Amino acid sequence: MTAQALAGALADDVRRRVFAAIVLGGADAPAVAERTGLPARQVVTAVRRLVDAGLVTDGDGELRVDAERLREAARTPAEPRPAGEPADRVLRTFLRDGVLVGLPAQRGRRRVLLAHVATSFEPGVRYPERAVDEVLRRWCEGGGSDHVTLRRYLVDEQLLAREQGVYWRVGG
């Protein structure tokens, strides 16, 4: 069992209360229900999940915390999460289901996000302002930004060029 599995097993309020009651000597489901004030059905479900997770043993009808498994979980190092590319982290932070949840205040991060948004436009194609606004509105629907601000940043960062109400993507 990993520390993450342990945390997941105890993430639910009911399971935590049941686990605490077992730690404090609740030897069976009725005793745990009495100590926690929870309905018997919730207690039985929580006990089953704690047993499945390996935190509690149910031997001879007596509930006990599996102390050895807890010690093992405490000693097991967490698996390192892949750091990913910095650009990936920025996109994961500021995009949800293809919608901007906000614009980063830091210019470097904002540039990464804007470069991603700019890929919505084909290089070499000229777009009227109305078409640009339509594309950018989809990025902003229900999010934390508006299409006008987004358009201005794209032009300011020279990811889109503008002349007489016509826009085009700069670069490849």
Side-chain angles (χ1 to χ4, degrees):
M1 170 188 303
T2 65
Q4 185 175 2
L6 171 64
L10 295 174
D12 179 71
D13 289 338
V14 171
R15 285 194 301 264
R16 249 191 333 272
R17 287 173 64 185
V18 168
F19 183 76
I22 294 169
V23 168
L24 296 173
D28 57 17
V32 171
E34 184 179 321
R35 284 177 183 245
T36 61
L38 294 169
R41 183 180 192 145
Q42 279 187 314
V43 169
V44 169
T45 301
V47 166
R48 184 177 30 99
R49 290 194 176 154
L50 291 169
V51 168
D52 290 347
L55 292 173
V56 172
T57 59
D58 187 8
D60 301 326
E62 186 175 332
L63 300 172
R64 283 185 297 252
V65 171
D66 191 341
E68 184 54 38
R69 294 280 308 261
L70 283 174
R71 281 191 281 283
E72 174 188 317
R75 281 180 264 165
T76 303
E79 292 181 23
R81 293 191 321 182
E85 295 295 317
D88 292 339
R89 285 196 307 259
V90 170
L91 296 177
R92 280 194 310 268
T93 301
F94 292 97
L95 287 176
R96 294 286 179 275
D97 300 321
V99 175
L100 294 172
V101 295
L103 288 171
Q106 188 178 32
R107 184 173 182 263
R109 290 180 180 175
R110 188 172 53 239
R111 172 93 181 163
V112 167
L113 186 64
L114 292 170
H116 180 75
V117 171
T119 62
S120 302
F121 302 98
E122 291 294 321
V125 175
R126 306 258 175 187
Y127 297 91
E129 187 170 298
R130 190 174 333 143
V132 171
D133 287 349
E134 185 178 309
V135 169
L136 297 180
R137 275 189 188 101
R138 286 190 295 244
W139 284 99
C140 299
E141 285 178 354
S145 189
D146 65 280
H147 71 283
V148 176
T149 302
L150 189 56
R151 185 182 66 213
R152 181 175 40 96
Y153 276 132
L154 286 165
V155 171
D156 289 349
E157 291 292 332
Q158 299 178 350
L159 295 165
L160 287 183
R162 169 182 62 203
E163 185 177 298
Q164 297 179 354
V166 177
Y167 295 77
W168 61 94
R169 183 171 152 199
V170 177

